[in-house]
Short mmCIF file of all heavy atoms in Angstrom, two decimals:
data_model
loop_
_atom_site.label_atom_id
_atom_site.label_comp_id
_atom_site.label_asym_id
_atom_site.label_seq_id
_atom_site.Cartn_x
_atom_site.Cartn_y
_atom_site.Cartn_z
N PHE A 26 95.35 -106.00 180.34
CA PHE A 26 96.04 -104.69 180.40
C PHE A 26 95.11 -103.51 180.70
O PHE A 26 95.53 -102.45 181.08
CB PHE A 26 96.84 -104.44 179.09
CG PHE A 26 95.97 -104.06 177.90
CD1 PHE A 26 95.67 -102.73 177.65
CD2 PHE A 26 95.46 -105.04 177.06
CE1 PHE A 26 94.89 -102.34 176.56
CE2 PHE A 26 94.67 -104.67 175.99
CZ PHE A 26 94.37 -103.35 175.73
N ARG A 27 93.83 -103.74 180.49
CA ARG A 27 92.84 -102.68 180.79
C ARG A 27 92.89 -102.28 182.28
O ARG A 27 92.50 -101.18 182.63
CB ARG A 27 91.44 -103.17 180.46
CG ARG A 27 91.21 -103.46 178.97
CD ARG A 27 90.69 -102.22 178.28
NE ARG A 27 90.62 -102.43 176.87
CZ ARG A 27 91.09 -101.58 175.94
NH1 ARG A 27 91.67 -100.44 176.35
NH2 ARG A 27 90.97 -101.82 174.68
N ALA A 28 93.33 -103.24 183.09
CA ALA A 28 93.34 -102.99 184.55
C ALA A 28 94.14 -101.74 184.87
O ALA A 28 93.73 -100.90 185.67
CB ALA A 28 93.91 -104.20 185.27
N LYS A 29 95.29 -101.62 184.20
CA LYS A 29 96.16 -100.48 184.50
C LYS A 29 95.49 -99.15 184.09
O LYS A 29 95.59 -98.16 184.78
CB LYS A 29 97.49 -100.63 183.80
CG LYS A 29 98.33 -101.71 184.45
CD LYS A 29 99.71 -101.85 183.88
CE LYS A 29 100.48 -102.92 184.66
NZ LYS A 29 101.55 -103.52 183.92
N GLN A 30 94.85 -99.19 182.93
CA GLN A 30 94.16 -97.99 182.48
C GLN A 30 93.05 -97.58 183.50
O GLN A 30 92.96 -96.40 183.89
CB GLN A 30 93.46 -98.23 181.13
CG GLN A 30 94.42 -98.35 179.96
CD GLN A 30 93.67 -98.78 178.70
OE1 GLN A 30 93.02 -99.81 178.67
NE2 GLN A 30 93.78 -97.98 177.65
N ILE A 31 92.31 -98.57 183.88
CA ILE A 31 91.17 -98.31 184.81
C ILE A 31 91.70 -97.81 186.16
O ILE A 31 91.21 -96.84 186.72
CB ILE A 31 90.29 -99.55 184.97
CG1 ILE A 31 89.60 -99.86 183.63
CG2 ILE A 31 89.26 -99.37 186.07
CD1 ILE A 31 88.89 -101.22 183.56
N PHE A 32 92.74 -98.45 186.63
CA PHE A 32 93.36 -98.08 187.92
C PHE A 32 93.79 -96.62 187.91
O PHE A 32 93.57 -95.88 188.87
CB PHE A 32 94.55 -99.01 188.21
CG PHE A 32 95.10 -98.87 189.59
CD1 PHE A 32 94.55 -99.58 190.67
CD2 PHE A 32 96.17 -98.01 189.84
CE1 PHE A 32 95.07 -99.45 191.95
CE2 PHE A 32 96.68 -97.87 191.12
CZ PHE A 32 96.15 -98.58 192.17
N LYS A 33 94.41 -96.20 186.79
CA LYS A 33 94.86 -94.82 186.69
C LYS A 33 93.69 -93.84 186.77
O LYS A 33 93.74 -92.84 187.46
CB LYS A 33 95.55 -94.60 185.32
CG LYS A 33 96.99 -95.02 185.30
CD LYS A 33 97.63 -94.54 184.01
CE LYS A 33 98.87 -95.31 183.69
NZ LYS A 33 99.34 -95.12 182.31
N TRP A 34 92.62 -94.15 186.05
CA TRP A 34 91.44 -93.28 186.08
C TRP A 34 90.86 -93.18 187.48
O TRP A 34 90.48 -92.08 187.93
CB TRP A 34 90.36 -93.79 185.11
CG TRP A 34 90.62 -93.53 183.67
CD1 TRP A 34 90.82 -94.45 182.68
CD2 TRP A 34 90.70 -92.25 183.02
NE1 TRP A 34 91.04 -93.84 181.48
CE2 TRP A 34 90.94 -92.48 181.67
CE3 TRP A 34 90.57 -90.95 183.49
CZ2 TRP A 34 91.09 -91.44 180.75
CZ3 TRP A 34 90.71 -89.89 182.57
CH2 TRP A 34 90.97 -90.16 181.23
N LEU A 35 90.78 -94.33 188.16
CA LEU A 35 90.20 -94.34 189.50
C LEU A 35 91.00 -93.44 190.43
O LEU A 35 90.43 -92.70 191.23
CB LEU A 35 90.16 -95.76 190.06
CG LEU A 35 89.22 -96.72 189.30
CD1 LEU A 35 89.44 -98.15 189.82
CD2 LEU A 35 87.77 -96.33 189.44
N SER A 36 92.34 -93.51 190.29
CA SER A 36 93.18 -92.71 191.17
C SER A 36 93.05 -91.21 190.88
O SER A 36 93.34 -90.38 191.75
CB SER A 36 94.66 -93.13 191.03
OG SER A 36 94.77 -94.51 191.27
N LEU A 37 92.65 -90.88 189.67
CA LEU A 37 92.47 -89.48 189.35
C LEU A 37 91.16 -88.91 189.92
O LEU A 37 90.94 -87.73 189.90
CB LEU A 37 92.44 -89.27 187.83
CG LEU A 37 93.80 -89.42 187.13
CD1 LEU A 37 93.62 -89.39 185.60
CD2 LEU A 37 94.74 -88.29 187.56
N GLY A 38 90.34 -89.81 190.41
CA GLY A 38 89.09 -89.36 191.04
C GLY A 38 87.90 -89.22 190.08
O GLY A 38 87.02 -88.39 190.33
N VAL A 39 87.91 -90.00 188.99
CA VAL A 39 86.73 -89.96 188.12
C VAL A 39 85.55 -90.47 188.90
O VAL A 39 85.69 -91.31 189.80
CB VAL A 39 86.91 -90.78 186.82
CG1 VAL A 39 88.06 -90.26 186.00
CG2 VAL A 39 87.08 -92.26 187.14
N VAL A 40 84.37 -89.95 188.60
CA VAL A 40 83.18 -90.42 189.34
C VAL A 40 82.20 -91.17 188.44
O VAL A 40 81.19 -91.68 188.91
CB VAL A 40 82.45 -89.27 190.10
CG1 VAL A 40 83.32 -88.78 191.25
CG2 VAL A 40 82.12 -88.12 189.15
N SER A 41 82.53 -91.24 187.13
CA SER A 41 81.68 -92.07 186.25
C SER A 41 82.53 -92.77 185.22
O SER A 41 83.65 -92.30 184.88
CB SER A 41 80.59 -91.20 185.59
OG SER A 41 81.04 -90.85 184.30
N PHE A 42 82.02 -93.89 184.74
CA PHE A 42 82.77 -94.66 183.76
C PHE A 42 82.95 -93.88 182.43
O PHE A 42 83.91 -94.08 181.70
CB PHE A 42 82.09 -96.00 183.47
CG PHE A 42 82.22 -96.94 184.63
CD1 PHE A 42 81.15 -97.16 185.53
CD2 PHE A 42 83.41 -97.61 184.87
CE1 PHE A 42 81.29 -98.01 186.59
CE2 PHE A 42 83.55 -98.48 185.95
CZ PHE A 42 82.47 -98.67 186.82
N ASP A 43 82.05 -92.94 182.19
CA ASP A 43 82.15 -92.19 180.94
C ASP A 43 83.39 -91.28 180.87
O ASP A 43 83.81 -90.83 179.82
CB ASP A 43 80.88 -91.33 180.74
CG ASP A 43 79.69 -92.22 180.39
OD1 ASP A 43 79.94 -93.34 179.86
OD2 ASP A 43 78.55 -91.83 180.67
#
Side-chain angles (χ1 to χ4, degrees):
F26 76 90
R27 296 269 174 228
K29 288 185 177 156
Q30 288 174 303
I31 294 169
F32 189 86
K33 278 189 199 166
W34 283 117
L35 295 172
S36 304
L37 287 172
V39 299
V40 290
S41 96
F42 289 102
D43 288 336

